Amino acid sequence: MWLNKDIVSIGDFSKEEILEVLERSENMVSYAKTGHPEKPLRDKIVATLFFEPSTRTRLSFESAAMRMGAGILGFGALESTSVVKGETLIDTVRIVESYSDVIVIRHPMEGAARLASEFAQVPVINAGDGAGQHPTQTLLDLFTIKRELGKLDNICVGIMGDLKYGRTVHSLSKALSLFKIDLHLISPETLKMPKHILKDISTKIKVQEHEDLEEIVQDLDVLYVTRIQKERFPDPEEYKKVAGSYYLKTSHLQKAKKSLIIMHPLPRVDEIPVEIDNYPQARYFKQAAYGVPVRMAILDLILRGE
Ligand code: CP
């Protein structure tokens, strides 16, 4: 079931499969610091093809691979590859699959990971495709909620910011719709959740849209904040109209539950001021750290099937 499975969309997972990844991630938490003693992936090579910038996803995949004993290959800057000579994504994938056992790909084009998976003989993991999906981020987001709140059901979740272009929130809202969640989407009118996603999740759980966090902050168990995705705006003037308009204030937290957890996939720009980092509700750095055990579990499942 798991061996050689592509991870392109969170929709490729059943609820049971998601829970299995989370359980296995829990087993990896201690090894994320020390390394897995058996180095079970020592004969495997993980290729990281990042056609867009990344800090957390790339480095946590590489750290996860190393903690499991696997080798890593990937390019630094696109300028150092044959992409600049005009090599296509498909040809690049066909070459890299012959050098590795799994391809982790990030690409600015929505659908690029699906395309790569159709041509590659080795499994492909989507590390973010344009404004499409970021399924492994969602798995670590769910892991964070489960670990920090102790449950994934019967909670009230707010997702705030750029819901139009933010791929992390597209994947996350789909995954949350598998659980008993009261979901609140907070964004400016121009950055609302795409209609096809809203329609899909609204058939499964209660979803309410808001333009102001003040309307709902007191009810939330989780507040997931996202950056406005400047790089995805076709018109820079449209970005300027919303830049800096959505951010968390300390006054919001005075109204919030003490048990609220604040999450963010990072990087942040100005939507969470640094002074909030010291609040007990801030969990975004812990969330980023969970990327290692969760990706250790994912690589183990895909490369060994167990
Ligand atoms: N959360 C996330 O995808 O971060 P990076 O862009 O740094 O990988």
Side-chain angles (χ1 to χ4, degrees):
M1 184 179 76
W2 285 103
L3 192 64
N4 293 328
K5 182 180 170 72
D6 295 313
I7 300 184
V8 172
S9 162
I10 199 69
D12 299 339
F13 288 84
S14 66
K15 182 176 175 180
E16 290 67 35
E17 286 172 326
I18 288 175
L19 291 174
E20 185 176 356
V21 174
L22 303 193
E23 196 180 316
R24 284 165 180 271
S25 302
E26 190 64 50
N27 299 337
M28 295 294 179
V29 169
S30 61
Y31 298 150
K33 287 275 172 229
T34 59
H36 196 298
E38 290 160 24
K39 299 285 181 275
L41 302 183
R42 60 189 169 281
D43 59 344
K44 304 293 183 189
I45 295 176
V46 177
T48 52
L49 292 189
F50 277 63
F51 296 89
E52 262 195 347
S54 168
T55 297
R56 278 145 294 274
T57 310
R58 180 172 185 162
L59 297 185
S60 64
F61 259 115
E62 293 184 354
S63 174
M66 287 191 266
R67 297 294 197 203
M68 296 296 278
I72 300 155
L73 55 85
F75 44 77
L78 275 184
E79 291 70 33
S80 66
T81 72
S82 286
V83 171
V84 292
K85 300 176 202 160
E87 186 159 52
T88 63
L89 172 64
I90 292 166
D91 281 359
T92 305
V93 164
R94 280 185 167 148
I95 297 306
V96 174
E97 72 174 0
S98 62
Y99 304 155
S100 62
D101 299 289
V102 58
I103 295 175
V104 182
I105 183 168
R106 171 171 289 190
H107 198 280
M109 182 181 77
E110 198 170 328
R114 180 74 68 196
L115 183 69
S117 73
E118 283 163 9
F119 285 88
Q121 302 300 312
V122 299
V124 169
I125 300 177
N126 182 3
D129 61 329
Q133 289 253 333
H134 196 347
T136 65
Q137 175 71 44
T138 293
L139 292 168
L140 78 89
D141 293 342
L142 295 177
F143 184 71
T144 305
I145 296 172
K146 189 157 189 292
R147 226 167 183 253
E148 299 300 310
L149 277 185
K151 58 183 179 178
L152 280 165
D153 283 306
N154 302 314
I155 54 172
C156 184
V157 179
I159 305 182
M160 180 172 87
D162 183 350
L163 310 186
K164 180 177 180 180
Y165 296 116
R167 56 194 172 203
T168 63
V169 298
H170 297 165
S171 296
L172 180 61
S173 52
K174 273 177 178 275
L176 289 174
S177 73
L178 299 173
F179 297 89
K180 292 189 187 106
I181 303 278
D182 201 359
L183 186 61
H184 296 270
L185 303 175
I186 308 131
S187 71
E189 177 66 29
T190 52
L191 295 179
K192 284 168 82 169
M193 184 67 77
K195 282 203 166 47
H196 69 279
I197 299 176
L198 190 61
K199 194 173 163 198
D200 176 34
I201 59 177
S202 300
T203 60
K204 299 172 191 148
I205 55 168
K206 187 176 170 202
V207 185
Q208 288 172 263
E209 293 183 290
H210 309 264
E211 285 198 30
D212 191 344
L213 178 61
E214 296 277 354
E215 292 168 24
I216 192 64
V217 67
Q218 66 282 355
D219 291 345
L220 300 178
D221 298 299
V222 178
L223 175 60
Y224 192 99
V225 185
T226 64
R227 175 178 66 92
I228 296 188
Q229 309 275 305
K230 182 180 181 183
E231 66 276 26
R232 312 238 180 266
F233 279 71
D235 178 357
E237 290 306 312
E238 288 302 311
Y239 171 72
K240 281 186 197 159
K241 283 184 197 166
V242 285
S245 62
Y246 271 65
Y247 58 94
L248 187 59
K249 301 175 197 158
T250 51
S251 59
H252 287 131
L253 297 182
Q254 281 156 16
K255 294 181 189 157
K257 290 181 185 175
K258 291 271 175 292
S259 57
L260 171 76
I261 61 168
I262 304 165
M263 298 171 62
H264 191 309
L266 304 177
R268 69 172 152 189
V269 181
D270 51 12
E271 56 282 354
I272 302 183
V274 290
E275 62 180 306
I276 290 182
D277 298 355
N278 296 323
Y279 279 58
Q281 292 99 331
R283 303 296 162 88
Y284 27 93
F285 291 113
K286 217 169 177 184
Q287 176 188 355
Y290 287 143
V292 177
V294 172
R295 289 172 172 133
M296 287 168 78
I298 291 168
L299 290 174
D300 202 31
L301 281 165
I302 286 177
L303 290 172
R304 292 201 309 141
E306 56 185 78

